[in-house]
Amino acid sequence: MMIKPDVLLTNANVITLDKEGRRGGSVSVTNGRISGIWPEAEPPKSDVELTRHTQVINLKGGTLLPGFIDTHNHLLMYAQFRQQANCSSPLNKSISDIQGQLLQLAQKTKRNQWVLGYGYDDTLLKEKRHPTREELDAVVPHHPVLIRHISAHFAVVNSAALRLAGIDEQITDPPGGHFGRDGAGKLNGVLYELPAMSLIESKIPVPSVEELVSLLGEASTDYLAQGITTNTDAGVGLNIGIEELEAHIQAVAGGQNPMRMQLMIMHHLLRENNAFGEVSAKELDEDIRLRSKGRARLDSAKLFQDGSIQGLTAALREPYYSNSELYGDLIHEQRDFNLEVLDLHKRGYRVTIHGNGDRAIASNLDAFEFALTNHPRRDHRHRIEHVQTATTADLDRMKKLGVAGSFFINHVYYWGERHEKMFLGPERAARINPIKDALDRDLLFTLHSDCPVTPISPLFSVWAAVNRLTKEGKVLGADQTCDVENALKSMTMWGAVLNFDEQHSGSIELGKRADFTVLAEDPTKVQPQEIKDIEIMASLIDGGVVYENKMCVL
């Protein structure tokens, strides 16, 4: 039967990433789906009838891949951070530099309104410590100030922010978090983990849904420019609450955000007497799909069970390398944790749990095993996020329980040297994000950026998995490297499987959605060290161009 395509992509280097590893030269799209794949640069005239409505795109030898699928980042958080003071390093080398960034923003902000910043990293500052409330007071005394750590698990506030939140020296630490204090026991402004941060963040004025939708639209352009066509926000409701869900739905329904969205809903919104306390996963998913015009879906219920390795709050079995008395803490008591996971599991939710440290990973697996023992369920695809210090025994247990993983591979580059010298020591650092061990076990996994913790870029994550290079150029854990094709699958096909969407996305096959990324070079042919530098030429969703690199006009 002759195909009458809406879009015809010609002169392409098509990497299908299907099970057979087939390649091609041209692809047709009809009604947003892949209707033809040919080995030739142009399909035979007997197969295709071009009409006046057919858009022919000559890729001029560019490499056509399935659209990238990033399964863990924080799009809305990133969208908000773009409006704040950049306190990150290496832009800022010292606390004085950060003070300058805050002062610059404060001078443009009305008196008594919040001054917010993001991205500081205490271990990269000259002082090798967190800023303090006194240092923030010294430059911005008349505005409440909050700056978030690069991990998003800590923050520093000034005295005005503490006063506004009604926090004084008699405050007691909330479960799962604590307030930093100086040698004299006085609050120093540092907030450790989300429970402590939330007491301050709850006082920050909430943007309107309309403002959030606009911010999401602006931020999505950065994601599309990296070839991402399906994206997961890994903590909807984390900072603002249910308004975050509404903003995501409106942004995709209105076209401000063209990507397909998977939404992890924070677990507290699913508890009894909260927004979705009586709602099943099926009901919530149907509502999200209906109101988003099918562009967004429920991904999972999201929980945290530990913190950040670089913040020394990830829960480890063995102590931190720099402090033999420090192991990190679990956020939830195991019995209560088990019962909450069981409740979500019985209501049909896929459950996603943050686990950086191996003790937290074990706790997560205990909760999953408890749920599956008490309420068996096939093909649940429960997830552990980051999985950075998983042992081989942990991975074996994940495989046995059918639990998938999403590795925060970018840590190898951004914190690798410090994992080796400060946080984990040489032996554990060499095994951080054990990709090869996961491959050997045929464990379902993906890679992710955790943006804004690290910059959004699927190609960078692929590069990191293949090379395992640190910032200083050292190979960290050569025996855990991954081949290029499997690294690409972890950002495409395996992401589709993790999203329960393998019948519709993740590879270039007949009948699947026409979501593509176009690269200037073939990542399987360039030198492995060059993968991260390949230009993204274009991104297509449903066969339509949603991003085009002005330097690589199609």
Side-chain angles (χ1 to χ4, degrees), residues 201-383:
E201 290 177 334
S202 65
K203 302 302 179 182
I204 300 174
V206 177
S208 68
V209 170
E210 291 75 18
E211 289 172 321
L212 294 176
V213 168
S214 177
L215 291 175
L216 282 168
E218 294 170 8
S220 69
T221 61
D222 293 345
Y223 281 52
L224 293 168
Q226 296 299 327
I228 297 169
T229 57
T230 297
N231 187 63
T232 302
D233 192 307
V236 178
L238 182 62
N239 293 319
I240 297 175
I242 196 169
E243 290 84 357
E244 295 183 19
L245 175 60
E246 187 61 32
H248 272 297
I249 290 173
Q250 289 191 24
V252 293
Q256 289 91 341
N257 174 11
M259 294 183 292
R260 305 184 197 281
M261 289 299 299
Q262 298 272 134
L263 305 176
M264 294 186 190
I265 308 299
M266 286 302 298
H267 66 111
H268 63 270
L269 296 176
L270 305 171
R271 286 175 170 169
E272 188 177 0
N273 298 322
N274 281 276
F276 305 114
E278 305 298 326
V279 179
S280 71
K282 184 175 184 294
E283 292 168 333
L284 183 52
D285 184 45
E286 288 176 348
D287 181 64
I288 291 172
R289 293 192 195 217
L290 177 65
R291 294 199 296 124
S292 69
K293 301 178 182 178
R295 307 297 295 185
R297 299 170 56 186
L298 171 68
D299 183 274
S300 54
K302 173 71 179 295
L303 299 93
F304 288 79
Q305 184 56 336
D306 74 341
S308 159
I309 296 174
Q310 66 269 37
L312 308 182
T313 55
L316 301 175
R317 290 185 175 103
E318 300 298 326
Y320 281 90
Y321 190 63
S322 59
N323 188 332
S324 61
E325 297 181 357
L326 191 63
Y327 291 79
D329 296 312
L330 298 175
I331 292 175
H332 304 283
E333 191 276 325
Q334 193 67 45
R335 180 180 177 279
D336 294 340
F337 190 49
N338 288 352
L339 292 174
E340 182 165 16
V341 171
L342 174 61
D343 172 65
L344 293 166
H345 171 81
K346 289 172 69 174
R347 289 160 59 194
Y349 287 91
R350 185 250 292 278
V351 179
T352 296
I353 313 177
H354 168 115
N356 270 313
D358 55 358
R359 186 155 54 95
I361 293 166
S363 173
N364 295 346
L365 292 170
D366 287 346
F368 285 137
E369 186 167 8
F370 180 82
L372 290 165
T373 299
N374 284 275
H375 188 81
R377 192 174 112 203
R378 297 182 62 186
D379 198 24
H380 50 80
R381 303 188 205 184
H382 293 321
R383 304 172 49 169

Side-chain angles (χ1 to χ4, degrees), residues 41-55:
E42 295 187 15
K45 292 183 178 179
S46 59
D47 288 357
V48 174
E49 179 183 344
L50 301 184
T51 73
R52 61 189 180 90
H53 301 294
T54 303
Q55 180 185 14

